[in-house]
Amino acid sequence: MADDARNNTKGTFRSYTAVGDSFTEGVGDPGPDGTLLGWADRLAVLLAERRADGEAPGDFRYANLAVRGRLLDQIVAEQVPRAVELAPDLVTFCAGGNDILRPGGDPDAVAERFEAAVTDLTAAVGTVLVCTGFDTRGVPVLRHLRGKIATYTAHVRAIADRHGCPVLDLWSLRSVQDRRAWSEDRLHLSPEGHTRVALRAAQVLGMPVPTDPDEPWPPQSQRLPSEVRRENIQWAREYLMPWIGRRLRGESSGDDRAPKRPDLLPLR
């Protein structure tokens, strides 16, 4: 099964497990009932629809093990063994971003541990899709970390080459450079941002998609400098200061949280 799935270029997977942190959990993309969706859930829907067009409709299964705030070592300890146990056709593995954001986060050291996890996953799973970092030049609180994120992104691409993994290259996805691709906290994607990432992931897996994920955004009217200042002050008070406070206290927004979808189950 593993070899067949590794050679799959049509997106006709029977099962999919998402591994990662808040990005993969879907923070910033609440559904109608408040439950988080996110790019991984949206990708699962595309994969299920693609499967339904094949010979065995309705048998697609999906698990999402991601939990917000998780560092790479936590993801490797908590989620990777479960993904190996589930043995799906496809795993998306996006991790290490929270390590890079922390003071002293060394992208070279993080990449070494990331590759060890990729080695474990590729030995047990047909296809392992890995994710690069975003280009953060337009993200105020993360702009100064752009060099570290670029270094980690280069490592991820090299690791993917060595292990034959498809790459969800978020650095080159120009559409997420727009402010509208990000939620109010400016740290997580908006629903439209998550949608564009899901479409790009589907493309990477060889699937046709209904719209181009890099389609330009509609023109937007220019805001007054006073409006921008008020928005920045409100953002700092509501999101930036609590985020810094959690870092100083060694707390995580994901403390005591469990994965939202720990088992491979059919999509409703």
Side-chain angles (χ1 to χ4, degrees):
M1 179 190 75
D3 289 340
D4 291 342
R6 183 172 288 112
N7 295 326
N8 190 330
T9 58
K10 302 296 183 183
T12 52
F13 299 96
R14 292 167 294 183
S15 53
Y16 163 39
T17 296
V19 172
D21 51 31
S22 60
F23 168 60
T24 301
E25 185 187 351
V27 174
D29 186 11
D33 61 353
T35 346
L36 292 177
L37 298 175
W39 72 272
D41 285 21
R42 294 176 182 275
L43 174 61
V45 171
L46 294 172
L47 291 168
E49 290 174 348
R50 181 72 170 170
R51 183 70 180 165
D53 290 336
E55 298 178 357
D59 68 344
F60 179 81
R61 296 175 300 143
Y62 168 55
N64 190 317
L65 309 178
V67 177
R68 68 192 69 179
R70 290 298 193 261
L71 299 171
L72 175 60
D73 289 346
Q74 293 173 311
I75 292 171
V76 170
E78 300 167 5
Q79 298 177 34
V80 169
R82 178 59 176 160
V84 169
E85 180 184 7
L86 293 173
D89 292 340
L90 169 68
V91 165
T92 56
F93 182 40
C94 305
N98 287 326
D99 298 74
I100 302 301
L101 296 183
R102 299 214 167 198
D106 180 356
D108 300 327
V110 175
E112 288 183 8
R113 304 199 303 275
F114 182 89
E115 182 163 17
V118 169
T119 301
D120 291 341
L121 285 169
T122 53
V125 175
T127 299
V128 179
L129 181 147
V130 297
C131 307
T132 73
F134 290 97
D135 185 349
T136 59
R137 58 183 162 180
V139 185
V141 73
L142 303 180
R143 189 183 294 122
H144 70 290
L145 296 173
R146 190 178 182 223
K148 289 173 62 176
I149 296 170
T151 300
Y152 188 59
T153 287
H155 277 304
V156 169
R157 293 197 64 87
I159 291 166
D161 286 344
R162 288 194 288 271
H163 294 271
C165 299
V167 180
L168 176 53
D169 188 354
L170 302 171
W171 187 278
S172 68
L173 187 59
R174 293 168 297 176
S175 62
V176 296
Q177 296 301 319
D178 192 284
R179 174 68 185 85
R180 288 167 285 183
W182 295 84
S183 67
E184 291 181 355
D185 69 6
R186 305 185 187 182
L187 294 171
H188 301 97
L189 293 175
S190 66
E192 179 64 20
H194 277 284
T195 298
R196 288 176 181 249
V197 169
L199 291 170
R200 175 52 59 85
Q203 284 182 329
V204 170
L205 294 171
M207 296 170 55
V209 295
T211 57
D212 179 6
D214 243 345
E215 181 180 354
W217 292 76
Q220 196 173 28
S221 58
Q222 190 72 27
R223 291 177 302 159
L224 295 173
S226 58
E227 294 176 323
V228 175
R229 281 196 298 271
R230 279 198 304 270
E231 183 181 287
N232 288 341
I233 292 170
Q234 181 179 353
W235 166 75
R237 184 180 298 130
E238 189 171 350
Y239 297 106
L240 178 60
M241 298 310 295
W243 183 74
I244 292 174
R246 287 196 300 272
R247 292 296 179 276
L248 293 175
R249 294 189 299 271
E251 298 174 356
S252 167
S253 57
D255 288 345
D256 302 320
R257 292 188 71 92
K260 66 180 183 180
R261 195 178 174 93
D263 300 307
L264 278 175
L265 298 173
L267 288 177
R268 288 181 292 182

